[in-house]
Structure formats: structure tokens, C-alpha cells
Amino acid sequence: MGEPTSSNSLSYRDAGVDIAAAEAALDASKQAIRRSHGPRVLADVGSFGGLFSAMDLGEKPVLVASADGVGTKIRIASAIQRFDTVGRCLVQHCINDILVQGAEPLFFLDYIGVGKLDAAMVAAGVTGVANACADHGVALLGGETAEMPGVYPQGEFDLVGTIVGVVERDYVIDGSAVRPGDKLLGLPSVGLHTNGYSLARRIVEERMGIAYTDPFPGDTRSAADVLLDPHLCYLETLRPFLRHPGLHAMAHITGGGVPGNLPRVLHGYGAEVSRQSVPKQNVFEQLCAAGDVDREESWKAFNMGVGMILVVTPDAEQDIQNRLRDQGEDVFAMGQISAEVEGVVWLD
Amino acid sequence: MGEPTSSNSLSYRDAGVDIAAAEAALDASKQAIRRSHGPRVLADVGSFGGLFSAMDLGEKPVLVASADGVGTKIRIASAIQRFDTVGRCLVQHCINDILVQGAEPLFFLDYIGVGKLDAAMVAAGVTGVANACADHGVALLGGETAEMPGVYPQGEFDLVGTIVGVVERDYVIDGSAVRPGDKLLGLPSVGLHTNGYSLARRIVEERMGIAYTDPFPGDTRSAADVLLDPHLCYLETLRPFLRHPGLHAMAHITGGGVPGNLPRVLHGYGAEVSRQSVPKQNVFEQLCAAGDVDREESWKAFNMGVGMILVVTPDAEQDIQNRLRDQGEDVFAMGQISAEVEGVVWLD
């Protein structure tokens, strides 16, 4: 389509936008997207909007929705041109964000913004998102790739997702049941998940002075491999507990760390938290040492080894801990709720 | 919080991330967000995930979801530091995207990515989103602001949204009813809506050589005012027709123009389209002349004056046209469906 244009004439492609490349990328990831579709998905890839049957979602179904990005973790993916794992991080991060309110995920939509569209890169990113969705029973219902020359510099991109899940109204977990004396159980993260990357990258690049393909200090893997470890998904681990009467709240530890996230679900109570109880991980030890990062600061910038915190009744603590251990989880007791303190107070 | 750090120590703020500024921006827009909340919204601003009651959404409710950005229109907003109208564009664009499948919007989530967080800018952007949501009865259920130094250059940002709506399964509009002989009715756009901005900006900056604060050729308003005209929302206009048996399909004319969008809803049939039938708008005339944009190219890069196309039965054409005129709409007949052609064939 389109007649030959004169040399003075400006086309959309001249202005840095290649619609054909966008369509090629979509084709390559369509198969992966279809694999994520269950029987509730009513329209195929490429419709204006994705269709999802909401029949029989429950007695009093409540939809829970959350939007997020993967932050500057994406710059490491850009630096080494590996685009699949950040897609997985995005999905698993979003699943956790609604899981803490008791919700199981239904569907997901993604958005990729780039300066210059690279079909292989976009296809890898979308395929990473689609595969993670399929693994957790989430339908990748729609998405958008936007080529925005100027907004994103050459080689940079952003990856954004929105998740929608469902929870029965009587089983919404909102922290309103939290009481002083409730216990805190932590579940380990695997590395940084998706926060603290602006600081981590600066430490690696300026203080460690290593390339992302170099071995990470104290590790046999490269810095890129260590820093791109996927954000853990806690859905399968915690699904058996979502209606447990002893589970009062959950906090997903993301940007802001334990002090930035745990108080959001405590309905005004404070928490006394033991940092020593959290198993140390080499990646945090090395980053904090090389960056000379203040201890208080490190616990706000990084998850420091705890990806999810459960607030449970004293009565239920042992039962939940035992069942999590039986599932193979390295759960650890890390403190309790208190009416005497505000926010998070460190015990050690 | 946090002890004084030594001069060698790196903090999150040193690395370009200011969590306090992000929280200040959220506070400023919270009021606007709350105004968008109806009785179905169960949790307040700041929860991990937004809660939306899905009880009694219909007999056989189908959720319709779509994600999108506002493209490089945002660069004009950045250039003149006006952040509210692009928020409105985003919401109204997304509403139209699910409206074409027959859906009414329920809730919306936004994402803002920036290089350096400016609290006033983010608050204006989110408030623009929230006000547009409130105007159309959509709950702004959640959102995320991500400060990503390096991914976005100084002064640049991206604004992304996801909408979820609902349609009764028997009233999904998917184009499966489209038949040869069906008529095309066009509804006017107001300017570029949210596509064609990479080309438009290049023409304004390189060919017209004017500043965005200068008057736009043939107009008393500035180039910024003309180019930031909000993307029209067709929800209220078209709501009375969503269950009209003579309405077979709708196409929202965005990136790709008429030839890129209309065929997506025609189930394999083609369309014969009259370009002369579309009322001319000064903004397209001026951009195409100054950029010496090829006519074929211009109809792919811009909406050229048509924001929405309805595919209707010949029997219903007059009734729908009359009722739209009674509502004050400048509807125009612009062609018909054909089994003899592929894609869009121009009649003139």
C-alpha cells in the first residue's frame, strides 16, 4: 500500500515508527499468548479488547486489580539483550500484589514502550510474559506495543502490566483482622525481585566496576544472571492458606522494602521485626558492602532476603509454619505485631 | 528514618529515586481518585490491589479489557509542561477501545513512568486521569508511578492505562454479523486523537518550524492547543445503540488509520470507503501540506477526521443516522461493506 513518496515527503516510517515490525512481533508471540488462554477467553488475539467470561466467578465475587512495571531491572535486560526473564518478573510480581488480598489471578495485560521497535526483542518480551501467565493459569488477554521515538532513548524500553484477579468477598484479606501479638512469618526472596535496581546498578557499575557478563562477587554466575533472577511467585505456595482463619494479612515486599510495605496491611498497628531472622543472601551482602550502603537504607532499598510476610495468629503460627515446611518452604519467624510501636521497629 | 550516611555511602536518593516525592504526588491526586469511585469500589486508595465488586454484573457477563498508551502526544505535553489533558486522552481512548465490542467501562488503572519524578507533574497527570474517569462513570481503581532514571530521559515520561468493562454475552459486538451491503457511518474526530504524533511533531518542528506556543497555521489557537485537543469519547453518544440489532460492528480509528482499524472488525469482508465524505479539518490539511505527506500515507498515519466508524444494516442506516443527528452528532455516510474487495478500497 502507498505510492512511492517523493524525496521531500515525510512518512510514518521516516518519523521512526514501523507498523510492519510491530505486526511481525505480535505474530511471533501469538502462539505463546494462545497457550495462556483458558475456556473463559472468548476472543482471539488481535481484537480491540480481550473478552473474558465472568460467569460463575463465585457467590459474591470481588475483582482485585493492580498495575506495575519491572523498574530499572529492565536496564540490565537491555544491557545484555535478554528480554524473556523480565516478562516473567512482571507477571509474578503482579500475581503477588493481588495474592496478598486473597485473590487468585484471572487475566493480565501488558504494555511495552520502546524508542525503536526491534521485533525479536518485543517477541521475546511478550513470550516471556505469556509463558509466565500460562504457568500460573492466567490468561494474557491483551497488550500493546508502542514505538515512541524520543520518549525512550535507543535501546531502552519499559514493560508494564495490569493484572485482574478474583476473591470471594467474605475471604478478602485486608488486614482488618490484625491484632497485637500476631506473629510474622517470612518467606525468602530470590535476590532483588524487582526493586532496588537503580541503586544496585550504580553499585555494580561504579563501585564494583564489573561488566554484567563478569562473575558476580562470591558467586559463580555472572552479575546479569544474579541480578536477573526472576521475581518469585508465591501463588502456588500460599494458595492452600488463602482461607485459613489464622492468616490475618500478607505483605509483598517490593519497593520501599519491609518498612515501606508491611505497615500498609497492619491497620495502624506497628511491627517489631528481627532482621537477623532473615536468611542472608550473598547478593545483598556484596551490594551493601561494595556500595557502603547504610543498614537502614539497605532495608528500605532492598527486600534483603524476604519476599513475602504473613501475619498470623499466635494459635495458627505453628500449624502454618509446619505446613509451609512440609511444602518445602524455608519459612522463618521474624517478629510480631505491637500496639506500642509505629511502623516497623527493628529488634536487631 | 535512616541514619546520616557517610560521604562514600550510596542511598536510594543518590541513585535518582525519591520515594517521598512519589508519595506526595499520590496524596495530591487521592481526592480526585476518590471522586471516581462508585459503590462497587471496596478498598481505599493505597491498598496493594484495588477491590471492585463483581456482583450482579449481568446474566452472562463478559469482561472486556484493553491496555494502551497515549503515544508521542505525550512529548508535546512534556514540551509545554501541561499534563492533565493527556490523562483525559488516555482514559477516553481506552473507553472507545472496549466500547466497540459493546462494553461499558467499569474500572481503570494507570501507570506513569518518568526519569525524574516531579510531584506536581505526576499529580496533574493522575488528576487528569481521575477526572476523566469520574466524568464517564469509571472507577480509577489503581495505578503506579515508577521513577526510572536512564530509561526515560530528563523531562520525558510515559502514561499507560488499562481499562476493564463489561458486556452481556448475547450483546458482544464482534463483527460476526457484518454482511456485504452493510453501510458505514462515520463520526468526526477532534484532531489527531492519540495517533500520528511522531509524524505530526516532526512536521511542526522541522517543516513548519514553529514553536508549540506559536499559533497553528489557519487557526487562532497555539500549535500545542490544537495538537493536545482531547481524544473524543464516544461512550455517551453510542450507549443508546449498543443493543441496536442493526449495529453490526464498530471500529475505533487509532494508529494505522481507517485502513489499519476498520478491517479488524469486518470478519474477512472488505470496505469501499469515500474519503471525500469525511469532513475536512484544518489540522490535517495543514500537516499534510507542510509535510508534503502522500495521500495514502496520510490516511494510515492520521484518522483524517473520522474517530469512529459504525457498520450498520441498510435497513437501520437511516434510523441510526437520524437518531445520532437528533443527539447533535455530525454523522456522515462513508461507504459500504463488500465481498468483492479486500481490506479498505478508496472510492475517491
Side-chain angles (χ1 to χ4, degrees):
Chain A
M1 234 163 147
E3 297 155 20
T5 54
S6 70
S7 63
N8 250 347
S9 149
L10 281 182
S11 76
Y12 220 47
R13 186 188 282 262
D14 293 333
V17 176
D18 189 342
I19 292 169
E23 284 168 1
L26 183 62
D27 283 340
S29 39
K30 272 185 180 173
Q31 272 206 301
I33 296 171
R34 287 201 184 98
R35 272 198 305 274
S36 78
H37 286 180
R40 287 188 181 271
V41 175
L42 305 180
D44 198 9
V45 183
S47 306
F48 276 94
L51 301 180
F52 189 91
S53 170
M55 278 185 72
D56 306 321
L57 285 180
E59 285 291 305
K60 290 182 278 182
V62 173
L63 299 177
V64 186
S66 185
D68 221 320
V70 291
T72 52
K73 187 171 192 170
I74 211 153
R75 295 202 73 195
I76 300 175
S78 301
I80 65 153
Q81 299 279 302
R82 187 194 299 166
F83 302 110
D84 53 340
T85 59
V86 283
R88 176 167 295 277
C89 287
L90 178 67
V91 172
Q92 299 189 162
H93 179 142
C94 287
I95 289 175
N96 292 342
D97 271 348
I98 63 167
L99 177 68
V100 295
Q101 301 198 278
E104 302 233 13
L106 297 173
F107 59 84
F108 192 86
L109 297 96
D110 69 303
Y111 170 91
I112 297 177
V114 289
K116 176 78 193 122
L117 200 142
D118 170 335
M121 180 268 267
V122 172
V126 174
T127 304
V129 168
N131 286 340
C133 282
D135 288 349
H136 300 293
V138 185
L140 179 53
L141 200 57
E144 172 77 6
T145 300
E147 189 170 28
M148 298 173 65
V151 174
Y152 298 90
Q154 185 73 27
E156 299 292 344
F157 70 113
D158 201 359
L159 177 58
V160 181
T162 300
I163 196 161
V164 175
V166 68
V167 57
E168 197 51 35
R169 185 155 182 168
D170 295 339
Y171 294 98
V172 170
I173 300 173
D174 62 3
S176 58
V178 170
R179 294 291 176 272
D182 280 354
K183 302 298 181 183
L184 304 176
L185 297 178
L187 288 171
S189 62
V190 171
L192 278 71
H193 282 183
T194 46
N195 72 282
Y197 279 86
S198 291
L199 180 55
R201 284 174 35 251
R202 201 165 154 190
I203 293 170
V204 170
E205 294 167 16
E206 295 179 15
R207 299 296 176 92
M208 293 180 173
I210 59 174
Y212 287 109
T213 47
D214 289 338
F216 189 80
D219 202 304
T220 56
R221 299 187 302 156
S222 71
D225 283 343
V226 168
L227 294 172
L228 289 178
D229 265 336
H231 194 127
L232 269 194
C233 179
Y234 298 94
L235 173 64
E236 291 76 14
T237 298
L238 295 177
R239 182 179 272 140
F241 302 93
L242 292 180
R243 298 189 175 190
H244 193 299
L247 178 61
H248 281 173
M250 286 182 276
H252 181 206
I253 308 307
T254 58
V258 172
N261 289 284
L262 181 56
R264 293 168 68 187
V265 298
L266 301 185
H267 268 244
Y269 294 117
E272 298 168 328
V273 176
S274 160
R275 288 182 280 200
Q276 302 284 7
S277 68
V278 179
K280 286 185 171 29
Q281 294 184 19
N282 177 65
V283 61
F284 300 114
E285 299 290 300
Q286 298 288 350
L287 288 173
C288 293
D292 190 17
V293 184
D294 173 68
R295 193 182 185 208
E296 302 306 309
E297 182 69 24
S298 69
W299 280 82
K300 287 191 283 180
F302 301 125
N303 67 57
M304 294 304 283
V306 54
M308 183 71 82
I309 299 176
L310 280 57
V311 184
V312 303
T313 59
D315 285 354
E317 184 188 15
Q318 207 53 56
D319 171 54
I320 292 177
Q321 218 170 350
N322 290 344
R323 287 171 57 191
L324 282 166
R325 290 224 173 86
D326 290 347
Q327 289 180 203
E329 300 298 326
D330 294 326
V331 57
F332 45 90
M334 57 183 293
Q336 62 270 323
I337 302 303
S338 165
E340 311 300 317
V341 303
E342 282 193 19
V344 166
V345 171
W346 303 121
L347 293 172
D348 49 42
Chain B
M1 237 163 143
E3 297 154 21
T5 55
S6 71
S7 62
N8 249 347
S9 148
L10 281 181
S11 76
Y12 220 47
R13 187 187 282 262
D14 294 331
V17 176
D18 189 342
I19 292 169
E23 282 168 4
L26 182 64
D27 284 340
S29 38
K30 271 186 181 174
Q31 273 206 301
I33 295 171
R34 287 201 184 98
R35 274 198 304 275
S36 78
H37 287 180
R40 288 190 180 271
V41 175
L42 305 180
D44 198 9
V45 183
S47 305
F48 276 94
L51 301 181
F52 189 91
S53 169
M55 277 184 74
D56 306 322
L57 284 179
E59 285 290 305
K60 289 182 279 182
V62 173
L63 299 176
V64 186
S66 185
D68 221 321
V70 291
T72 52
K73 186 171 193 169
I74 211 153
R75 296 203 72 193
I76 300 175
S78 301
I80 66 154
Q81 298 280 304
R82 186 194 299 167
F83 302 110
D84 53 339
T85 59
V86 283
R88 177 167 295 276
C89 286
L90 179 67
V91 173
Q92 301 189 160
H93 179 142
C94 287
I95 290 174
N96 292 342
D97 270 348
I98 63 167
L99 177 68
V100 296
Q101 302 198 276
E104 302 233 13
L106 296 172
F107 60 84
F108 191 86
L109 297 97
D110 70 303
Y111 170 91
I112 297 178
V114 289
K116 176 78 193 122
L117 199 143
D118 170 336
M121 180 268 267
V122 171
V126 174
T127 304
V129 168
N131 287 339
C133 282
D135 288 349
H136 300 292
V138 185
L140 180 52
L141 198 58
E144 172 77 7
T145 300
E147 188 170 27
M148 297 172 67
V151 174
Y152 299 89
Q154 185 73 27
E156 299 292 343
F157 70 113
D158 202 359
L159 178 58
V160 180
T162 300
I163 196 161
V164 175
V166 68
V167 56
E168 197 50 35
R169 184 154 182 169
D170 295 340
Y171 294 98
V172 171
I173 301 173
D174 62 2
S176 58
V178 169
R179 294 291 176 271
D182 280 354
K183 302 298 181 182
L184 304 176
L185 297 178
L187 288 171
S189 63
V190 172
L192 279 71
H193 282 185
T194 46
N195 72 282
Y197 279 86
S198 291
L199 179 56
R201 285 173 36 249
R202 200 164 154 189
I203 293 170
V204 170
E205 293 167 17
E206 295 180 16
R207 299 294 177 92
M208 294 179 173
I210 60 174
Y212 287 109
T213 48
D214 289 337
F216 189 80
D219 202 305
T220 56
R221 299 187 302 155
S222 71
D225 283 343
V226 168
L227 293 172
L228 290 178
D229 265 336
H231 195 128
L232 269 194
C233 180
Y234 297 94
L235 174 63
E236 291 76 13
T237 298
L238 295 177
R239 182 180 272 140
F241 301 94
L242 293 180
R243 297 189 175 190
H244 194 299
L247 179 61
H248 279 173
M250 285 183 275
H252 181 205
I253 307 307
T254 56
V258 173
N261 289 284
L262 182 56
R264 293 168 67 188
V265 298
L266 301 185
H267 268 243
Y269 294 116
E272 298 169 327
V273 176
S274 161
R275 287 182 281 199
Q276 301 284 7
S277 68
V278 179
K280 287 184 170 28
Q281 293 184 21
N282 177 64
V283 61
F284 300 114
E285 300 289 302
Q286 298 288 348
L287 287 172
C288 292
D292 189 17
V293 184
D294 174 67
R295 193 181 185 210
E296 302 306 310
E297 182 69 24
S298 70
W299 280 81
K300 286 190 284 180
F302 301 127
N303 67 57
M304 295 302 283
V306 54
M308 184 70 84
I309 299 176
L310 280 58
V311 184
V312 304
T313 60
D315 284 355
E317 184 187 15
Q318 206 53 56
D319 171 53
I320 292 178
Q321 219 169 350
N322 290 344
R323 286 171 57 190
L324 282 166
R325 289 225 173 87
D326 290 346
Q327 288 179 204
E329 300 297 327
D330 294 325
V331 57
F332 45 90
M334 58 182 291
Q336 61 270 324
I337 302 304
S338 165
E340 312 300 317
V341 302
E342 282 193 20
V344 166
V345 171
W346 303 121
L347 293 172
D348 49 40

